[in-house]
Amino acid sequence: MKANAVRTGLHRGWIEFRQTLTTAQDLWGYLFPTVILLVVMSFQRGSTVGGFSLGAMTLPGVLGMNIGFSGLITVAQQLTVEREDGTLLRAKATPDGMLGYLIGKITLVGGMSLLSLAVILVPGLLMFDGLSTGVGAWLTLAWVLVLGLVATMPIGAIIGSLFANPRSMGLIMLPMMGLIAISGIFYPITGYPEWLQWIAQAFPMYWLGLGMRSALLPDGLAAAEIGESWRHLETVGVLGLWAVIGFVVAPMVLRRMARRESGSSVAARREKAMQRVR
């Protein structure tokens, strides 16, 4: 039964991902942020750090930010929307339905993450000179991507389980923006006070950006980082720790949330949503 649930989840996730490629709203969600970020990075081309374009230095950080957003915010949004419309309740009612549901979400978000990364990386490689494109760079980019999603997706599921409806998700965006601001995405973190550097290093976003910079930037630019090193072992350690925490806590939180789901609770949320529309 579990094997069937896994196959069903993979199939469902692939179908949902393909649907995002045929929906104008989803395509706009892929392209609009990309255009904004590429425009911002193009304005940074004239500024340099150690003789290297600041725009090129920003590109890997933006890729790391996108991975973090996909794992944290996209998963949380998917969970809250489908909790409100009764999808979770239907999954709960079928054998191994929650397993299939989670596999489907992993497949969907993984596909969305790859596409989001590609639509920024490909134009970025054409815009900026000096970025690494060898086999080692692609291998590093791949393991950072996979480990980043593994570290952030369970946390995103935990966040999503805390909110009863999608409109409440706005509460998480302000702290998320603050976290991005201190995570070295647009400016080297060594320019911040030491206490702020420690806060940034406690969360996955900083390490995702650092891992992407280690993949795409020349080794000499590691001098701009803390410890003048790409700190691969520390990146694996911190992201791995977040992954362990997520995989321990997320199943408990999701099981508790699933137990509380019922037809009456879904109907009550729908009624509240209809009243807001009216």
Side-chain angles (χ1 to χ4, degrees):
M1 293 294 291
K2 291 188 183 299
N4 288 335
V6 171
R7 285 194 296 269
T8 301
L10 289 170
H11 183 61
R12 172 178 174 169
W14 174 243
I15 290 174
E16 290 182 345
F17 172 65
R18 285 191 305 175
Q19 288 175 342
T20 67
L21 303 179
T22 60
T23 305
Q25 182 177 350
D26 291 328
L27 289 173
W28 180 254
Y30 286 127
L31 296 176
F32 180 70
T34 299
V35 172
I36 296 298
L37 290 169
L38 289 173
V39 168
V40 170
M41 287 185 287
S42 70
F43 283 122
Q44 295 178 320
R45 296 175 70 178
S47 302
T48 59
V49 176
F52 199 78
S53 168
L54 182 59
M57 291 188 66
T58 302
L59 176 63
V62 168
L63 297 177
M65 178 185 71
N66 272 17
I67 296 170
F69 250 90
S70 295
L72 294 170
I73 303 302
T74 303
V75 170
Q77 289 175 335
Q78 291 276 328
L79 193 64
T80 53
V81 168
E82 296 188 349
R83 182 182 182 185
E84 184 177 56
D85 67 15
T87 301
L88 275 177
L89 182 61
R90 292 190 293 273
K92 172 188 171 184
T94 59
D96 292 314
M98 287 300 296
L99 174 61
Y101 173 81
L102 291 174
I103 294 296
K105 292 300 110 179
I106 291 171
T107 304
L108 170 62
V109 174
M112 294 172 68
S113 299
L114 283 172
L115 181 58
S116 297
L117 185 145
V119 296
I120 292 180
L121 180 58
V122 172
L125 291 175
L126 297 175
M127 287 173 58
F128 303 111
D129 297 324
L131 294 169
S132 300
T133 56
V135 175
W138 292 111
L139 290 175
T140 301
L141 189 148
W143 71 254
V144 173
L145 170 65
V146 172
L147 186 55
L149 289 175
V150 170
T152 55
M153 288 175 71
I155 306 301
I158 294 170
I159 294 172
S161 68
L162 301 177
F163 297 98
N165 63 74
R167 289 158 293 280
S168 301
M169 280 297 299
L171 297 174
I172 199 65
M173 293 306 296
L174 185 60
M176 192 70 178
M177 292 297 105
L179 185 60
I180 290 171
I182 66 171
S183 292
I185 299 300
F186 298 104
Y187 190 81
I189 193 174
T190 48
Y192 298 141
E194 187 172 349
W195 63 271
L196 202 56
Q197 295 179 28
W198 280 106
I199 293 175
Q201 292 176 82
F203 294 95
M205 197 69 74
Y206 165 75
W207 298 99
L208 287 169
L210 179 64
M212 286 295 174
R213 288 194 292 276
S214 75
L216 296 174
L217 298 182
D219 289 338
L221 289 178
E225 303 292 343
I226 296 174
E228 299 184 356
S229 166
W230 294 127
R231 299 195 290 171
H232 283 151
L233 288 179
E234 290 89 338
T235 300
V236 172
V238 175
L239 293 179
L241 179 60
W242 274 99
V244 170
I245 293 172
F247 277 103
V248 169
V249 177
M252 296 187 293
V253 173
L254 290 174
R255 282 196 296 267
R256 179 174 177 270
M257 182 190 68
R259 285 196 298 268
R260 296 170 61 184
E261 287 297 294
S262 64
S264 59
S265 62
V266 172
R269 286 196 293 268
R270 284 180 178 173
E271 180 61 28
K272 288 182 179 179
M274 291 299 295
Q275 289 177 354
R276 284 190 290 268
V277 171
R278 293 168 190 165

